[in-house]
Amino acid sequence: MTEAMVKAEAVHKRFGRLEVLKGINLEVQSGEVMCLLGPSGSGKSTFLRCINHLEKINSGRLSVDGELVGYREAGDKLHELRESEVARKRAEIGMVFQHFNLFPHMTALENVTLAPTRVSGLSRKDARRRASDQLAKVGLSDKLDSYPVALSGGQQQRVAIARALAMRPKLMLFDEPTSALDPELVGDVLDVMRQLASDGMTMIVVTHEMGFAREVADTVVFMDQGVVVESGEPTQVISAPREQRTKEFLSKVL
Amino acid sequence: MIILIIVASVVRAIVVNPNFQWGVVGQYLFDPRITNGVVKTIELTVIAMVVGILLGVLLAVMRLSPNPLVSGFSWLYIWFFRGTPLLVQLLFWGFAGALFSKVNLGVPFGGPVLISASTNALITPFVAAILGLGLNEGAYMAEVVRAGMISVDEGQGEAAQSLGMSRLQTLRLIVIPQAMRVIIPPTGNETISMLKNTSLVIVLGSVFELLFATQQIYAANYKTIPLLIVASIWYLAMTSVLYVGQYFIERRYGRGFSRAQQATMRSRWLSFGNAGSGVG
């Protein structure tokens, strides 16, 4: 058995006095799609942000592809990585945000070519080719020169996905990618994610889309108040939850 | 209508009043001493603003640094230079030679001196003017730039970082270009203030900017009012030019923020061409 893509052991995270993650243990295998469910404030977004070191964990161990996130281990001591090393690791992990966070002063194409040229050092021509391929895959070949303000929410989120994919990540993190969208635009974004999953991408998705979780996820994790309450196959967790808290949550959202 | 009548009567009173000596105004408007003063004023404004803006960006970045020592230094600088009058700062620079007779470059605290120069040779009145105006402006520009930077949504920085961009790249390529929209209008304001504040340099003597040149002339011929009008006309003309410049810079950095401007590259270039021909 190969090492897990993401491995969390007793991960704790505090904001001041507030303990948001109270010992998270979970593993995501390469090629697996994991959906994180749970009420708001349950810590699922925070956990996602810890994985690419946008948040620092306070204790526990968190590793991606066999390497600790944000630290280097020497003997039994942990050394914090330098900013450039953290940045290099982040480049291998794609992240999609609830509010898209496209760069408004750049066209769709410029949004997607930026990191490949500036971070990976691709030539302008290669980056352009890679970017237009990615934008074609998400169905936006005709929007290359549009500024984000001229795109619908669904289109913006698909550009954001293309932007992350253009870095050829080994892991994709989705932080409520459809929560800010009008209902009729959700489908297009989920289609893109479904396609990505079937291409074998390792994905961790924080979502409230039960249909998507049931259909696409290999594992569903239900979190509440900073702990993993229950995890397993979607049919089990969503259709036949064992825990009372999971049942209560699902009865509200389904 | 009432406003129009009031304005018209005030204008008439000014034009007809012989004390204004409009003939003298016309006579001195393009006097070489005056036009040289205008050039000097522009020179001071441009150099001091460049110093101020560069310093402002540096101080703003320092102020937002997670390192408390770095941000503390920036805070202290801004506190000092905003808290004392510009006129006093200019006088201090003018008297720098009296405070420190020599400027030494070398190992501090009694180490060997590598280069040494007399302060008076180094800080000429013009340099004193630039230092006074520029260092003071830096403190104000720092706050302008900082306001622009914190106006940019935090998600922008996070998105850039998640793509593997460094803090400096994020700042340069993502945060600053978006902050420019917020930074430019008050910077226009600052530039206009600077243009007029260059007249304070008069206290240093021997920097022949517009007001000093004007004063030199009326000190000799006592035509004080018409010459002050000459200076005012030039200050107004220069600030008017700045208005036009600001308009074009604002349009440049408004890209991607208004739906009216969106559209494709092609129509952007077309509209750019139109604007160009309009100006030409």
Side-chain angles (χ1 to χ4, degrees):
Chain A
M1 174 99 200
T2 54
E3 185 122 30
M5 178 61 83
V6 178
K7 189 171 183 183
E9 297 164 87
V11 167
H12 283 75
K13 172 68 190 173
R14 278 187 305 275
F15 291 116
R17 279 191 180 163
L18 184 71
E19 194 167 29
V20 186
L21 300 177
K22 302 169 184 164
I24 301 289
N25 294 293
L26 53 80
E27 272 188 30
V28 184
Q29 303 305 323
S30 193
E32 184 181 347
V33 176
M34 175 181 281
C35 283
L36 293 180
L37 311 179
S40 61
S42 59
K44 47 196 199 311
S45 287
T46 304
F47 177 65
L48 206 64
R49 293 160 60 84
C50 289
I51 296 174
N52 69 354
H53 210 43
L54 283 179
E55 306 287 356
K56 282 183 193 174
I57 66 174
N58 296 109
S59 67
R61 291 172 66 91
L62 181 58
S63 61
V64 173
D65 207 12
E67 291 176 24
L68 284 183
V69 174
Y71 297 90
R72 184 187 304 110
E73 208 165 16
D76 53 356
K77 271 191 176 168
L78 291 182
H79 298 280
E80 204 164 335
L81 292 182
R82 272 176 297 144
E83 193 211 311
S84 59
E85 295 170 303
V86 172
R88 204 173 314 132
K89 290 198 173 178
R90 280 196 188 120
E92 301 174 343
I93 303 172
M95 186 156 190
V96 175
F97 300 86
Q98 181 176 357
H99 296 288
F100 330 134
N101 296 355
L102 288 184
F103 306 130
H105 57 304
M106 299 179 183
T107 63
L109 188 73
E110 288 166 350
N111 263 280
V112 183
T113 53
L114 181 72
T117 48
R118 299 290 180 160
V119 178
S120 311
L122 243 61
S123 75
R124 227 162 252 284
K125 201 172 129 224
D126 290 345
R128 218 192 131 87
R129 188 179 314 127
R130 190 189 280 192
S132 40
D133 284 353
Q134 286 300 347
L135 284 166
K137 270 189 198 157
V138 299
L140 292 172
S141 295
D142 54 336
K143 298 289 183 191
L144 300 187
D145 296 326
S146 299
Y147 281 92
V149 70
L151 300 173
S152 75
Q155 290 169 333
Q156 289 191 48
Q157 193 59 298
R158 283 184 283 152
V159 173
I161 294 173
R163 176 174 72 177
L165 290 176
M167 291 300 284
R168 307 253 163 99
K170 54 188 178 191
L171 167 67
M172 283 287 285
L173 309 173
F174 291 86
D175 189 4
E176 301 199 29
T178 57
S179 298
L181 296 178
D182 290 342
E184 79 270 22
L185 302 175
V186 169
D188 289 340
V189 171
L190 291 183
D191 283 344
V192 168
M193 292 169 61
R194 203 171 281 131
Q195 180 60 45
L196 196 57
S198 69
D199 290 346
M201 176 63 77
T202 312
M203 296 162 61
I204 304 180
V205 185
V206 171
T207 187
H208 295 296
E209 294 289 332
M210 293 302 151
F212 177 83
R214 201 185 330 234
E215 180 197 344
V216 180
D218 299 300
T219 313
V220 168
V221 171
F222 176 72
M223 283 176 68
D224 191 21
Q225 295 179 3
V227 294
V228 172
V229 175
E230 164 161 24
S231 69
E233 292 192 3
T235 44
Q236 183 257 304
V237 177
I238 298 177
S239 309
R242 277 189 286 258
E243 301 290 328
Q244 188 57 33
R245 270 192 285 174
T246 319
K247 284 178 195 162
E248 280 167 18
F249 174 74
L250 289 171
S251 71
K252 282 182 203 148
V253 296
L254 281 178
Chain B
M1 193 61 197
I2 295 170
I3 295 172
L4 231 66
I5 291 171
I6 294 172
V7 169
S9 61
V10 169
V11 169
R12 184 180 168 278
I14 291 172
V15 172
V16 173
N17 187 336
N19 289 339
F20 281 94
Q21 303 180 58
W22 289 100
V24 180
V25 171
Q27 189 188 330
Y28 281 98
L29 195 55
F30 294 102
D31 185 290
R33 283 168 292 179
I34 296 288
T35 50
N36 283 341
V38 169
V39 172
K40 203 62 155 182
T41 291
I42 293 172
E43 224 173 278
L44 279 170
T45 306
V46 170
I47 300 176
M49 275 315 285
V50 168
V51 171
I53 289 170
L54 292 179
L55 201 58
V57 172
L58 184 72
L59 287 165
V61 171
M62 287 171 70
R63 185 75 203 281
L64 295 172
S65 157
N67 183 331
L69 212 70
V70 173
S71 75
F73 173 83
S74 173
W75 184 89
L76 208 67
Y77 182 100
I78 295 168
W79 170 78
F80 181 79
F81 281 91
R82 281 203 312 182
T84 50
L86 174 56
L87 194 54
V88 175
Q89 289 173 30
L90 280 167
L91 286 167
F92 262 113
W93 287 111
F95 293 125
L99 293 171
F100 300 96
S101 63
K102 274 179 179 298
V103 176
N104 296 329
L105 198 68
V107 182
F109 304 115
V113 174
L114 302 175
I115 305 168
S116 178
S118 141
T119 305
N120 279 333
L122 213 60
I123 303 185
T124 61
F126 186 78
V127 174
I130 293 295
L131 284 172
L133 295 171
L135 296 188
N136 180 265
E137 187 56 33
Y140 284 91
M141 280 307 300
E143 290 295 274
V144 168
V145 173
R146 189 171 70 95
M149 284 169 60
I150 56 183
S151 78
V152 177
D153 182 50
E154 261 184 274
Q156 291 289 311
E158 288 181 356
Q161 288 187 320
S162 78
L163 289 165
M165 290 167 69
S166 68
R167 209 175 106 82
L168 208 67
Q169 281 179 320
T170 305
L171 211 59
R172 196 164 57 85
L173 300 169
I174 305 299
V175 177
I176 298 274
Q178 292 183 59
M180 287 302 264
R181 258 175 74 252
V182 176
I183 292 172
I184 288 165
T187 303
N189 223 3
E190 289 294 315
T191 311
I192 287 169
S193 294
M194 175 62 80
L195 188 85
K196 294 174 297 176
N197 282 343
T198 53
S199 60
L200 294 175
V201 166
I202 204 165
V203 298
L204 296 173
S206 74
V207 178
F208 286 86
E209 45 71 43
L210 179 54
L211 189 64
F212 191 57
T214 308
Q215 196 193 37
Q216 293 287 96
I217 300 172
Y218 72 64
N221 66 9
Y222 301 110
K223 297 189 189 304
T224 309
I225 296 298
L227 276 155
L228 286 176
I229 292 173
V230 167
S232 303
I233 290 172
W234 276 110
Y235 281 120
L236 269 174
M238 288 188 281
T239 50
S240 306
V241 171
L242 289 176
Y243 274 83
V244 178
Q246 184 178 342
Y247 169 78
F248 281 102
I249 298 174
E250 269 180 34
R251 256 192 16 168
R252 165 75 174 72
Y253 284 99
R255 273 186 321 173
F257 284 92
S258 90
R259 273 168 211 276
Q261 270 198 17
Q262 45 160 289
T264 60
M265 288 295 238
R266 180 175 303 162
S267 67
R268 263 211 301 143
W269 278 108
L270 281 176
S271 68
F272 183 73
N274 287 340
S277 63
V279 170

